[in-house]
Amino acid sequence: MRIRLAREGDAQGIAYVHTESWKTTYRGIVPDDALDHLTTESRLSQWEQQLQSSEKDQILIVAEDLDGKIVGFACGGKERQALPYDGELYAIYLLQSYQKSGMGRQLVERVVLHLETCQMRSMIIWALQQNPACCFYEKLGGIPVHTKWIRMGKKDLAEVAYGWSDLTSFHHM
């Protein structure tokens, strides 16, 4: 397994991981019709734009298997909701068969290192409250600090922000 910075040409693999992990993680949580319309193509332009972005404080990294296939990714940058945190882990996704392999932790650590390089000392991530990954964020030292409601399809879902007030503590876990 290898973790590297995303580069041009990675959008297809990232979009695939994004949609597939949504389908396996959120089935039974997010309305089926929202998941059934998710396709790699529907996410492709989002990731192509992200790859062309020149925001210096943002990072997009991928995890590859031994054959060079993208099996996970993470991205982060400045906090976007005016909460009292410098940085934000915008997204982290792994194909289901690679979850619980230590790869997720490595992806988060790479984003944290980047945030620290950009002088960001704290971080949050937003996750649906019913997302099984919430246990993962808690294991990494994240503390629930905020909740908001979002609408998906015809369903209201709670989204929780997990916060790390001091990223230096992240490296001692």
Side-chain angles (χ1 to χ4, degrees), residues 96-159:
Q96 192 171 40
S97 56
Y98 291 89
Q99 293 170 10
K100 297 183 171 50
S101 67
M103 187 60 56
R105 182 187 183 93
Q106 289 177 51
L107 285 167
V108 175
E109 284 172 351
R110 278 291 291 275
V111 172
V112 165
L113 284 171
H114 176 79
L115 296 178
E116 289 177 319
T117 302
C118 295
Q119 308 307 310
M120 298 182 211
R121 304 278 173 249
S122 57
M123 175 182 83
I124 62 161
I125 183 170
W126 287 93
L128 289 178
Q129 191 170 36
Q130 293 173 280
N131 184 340
C134 289
C135 296
F136 169 69
Y137 304 133
E138 289 172 12
K139 219 180 273 182
L140 292 176
I143 296 165
V145 293
H146 198 72
T147 304
K148 67 180 179 184
W149 289 88
I150 59 170
R151 188 131 184 110
M152 280 195 188
K154 295 182 173 126
K155 200 170 176 185
D156 289 319
L157 298 166
E159 204 174 26

Side-chain angles (χ1 to χ4, degrees), residues 67-78:
D67 298 323
K69 181 181 155 214
I70 294 173
V71 297
F73 71 92
C75 55
K78 280 190 185 139

Side-chain angles (χ1 to χ4, degrees), residues 23 35 48 93 101 111-112 132 152 160 167:
K23 289 176 181 183
L35 294 175
E48 283 170 344
Y93 291 102
S101 67
V111 172
V112 165
M152 280 195 188
V160 178
L167 288 179

Side-chain angles (χ1 to χ4, degrees), residues 42-59:
S42 70
R43 293 285 186 193
L44 198 52
S45 67
Q46 171 195 351
W47 293 110
E48 283 170 344
Q49 286 172 7
Q50 184 84 26
L51 284 166
Q52 290 163 6
S53 165
S54 57
E55 298 271 339
K56 292 197 176 18
D57 61 359
Q58 289 188 13
I59 187 170

Side-chain angles (χ1 to χ4, degrees), residues 16-101:
Y16 175 78
V17 169
H18 191 181
T19 54
E20 285 309 301
S21 45
W22 259 73
K23 289 176 181 183
T24 56
T25 301
Y26 293 126
R27 185 69 67 188
I29 299 172
V30 168
D32 284 348
D33 58 343
L35 294 175
D36 295 340
H37 290 95
L38 269 185
T39 62
T40 300
E41 290 67 38
S42 70
R43 293 285 186 193
L44 198 52
S45 67
Q46 171 195 351
W47 293 110
E48 283 170 344
Q49 286 172 7
Q50 184 84 26
L51 284 166
Q52 290 163 6
S53 165
S54 57
E55 298 271 339
K56 292 197 176 18
D57 61 359
Q58 289 188 13
I59 187 170
L60 173 57
I61 54 175
V62 296
E64 295 178 321
D65 68 9
L66 296 173
D67 298 323
K69 181 181 155 214
I70 294 173
V71 297
F73 71 92
C75 55
K78 280 190 185 139
E79 194 276 329
R80 301 173 290 187
Q81 306 266 329
L83 290 173
Y85 291 83
D86 304 326
E88 183 174 344
L89 179 60
Y90 299 147
I92 176 169
Y93 291 102
L94 276 169
L95 294 178
Q96 192 171 40
S97 56
Y98 291 89
Q99 293 170 10
K100 297 183 171 50
S101 67

